[in-house]
Amino acid sequence: MKLEDRRQKQTTQETVISIASWKRKKFNQYLMLRLFDKLGLSGECEKIAQLFDEFSDYGTIAA
């Protein structure tokens, strides 16, 4: 989780992360992938990709 956070922030320095936020983000992504799959929507569509990025962080703690 820490390595993924560093890759996402594009840094090699240690940063403070919230485990609760990461759990929420991963759950949101999992839920959206299942929902989009059931609706037959492709993640490659630009609008879907924007929604995925926007709602992945829904409910996370800002650090």
Side-chain angles (χ1 to χ4, degrees), residues 35-52:
L35 181 63
F36 294 158
D37 184 51
K38 293 287 183 187
L39 293 173
L41 300 172
S42 172
E44 296 176 7
C45 176
E46 186 177 329
K47 284 189 175 185
I48 300 299
Q50 287 174 349
L51 286 173
F52 188 82

Side-chain angles (χ1 to χ4, degrees), residues 3-43:
L3 291 174
E4 187 176 344
D5 184 64
R6 287 183 192 162
R7 274 189 240 128
Q8 187 179 41
K9 292 179 180 175
Q10 298 177 346
T11 184
T12 57
Q13 298 178 353
E14 290 189 19
T15 58
V16 177
I17 64 171
S18 167
I19 293 174
S21 290
W22 270 95
K23 285 172 70 174
R24 174 71 58 112
K25 182 176 185 165
K26 292 298 181 182
F27 175 77
N28 288 346
Q29 290 173 347
Y30 170 77
L31 185 62
M32 285 188 291
L33 287 174
R34 298 246 349 207
L35 181 63
F36 294 158
D37 184 51
K38 293 287 183 187
L39 293 173
L41 300 172
S42 172

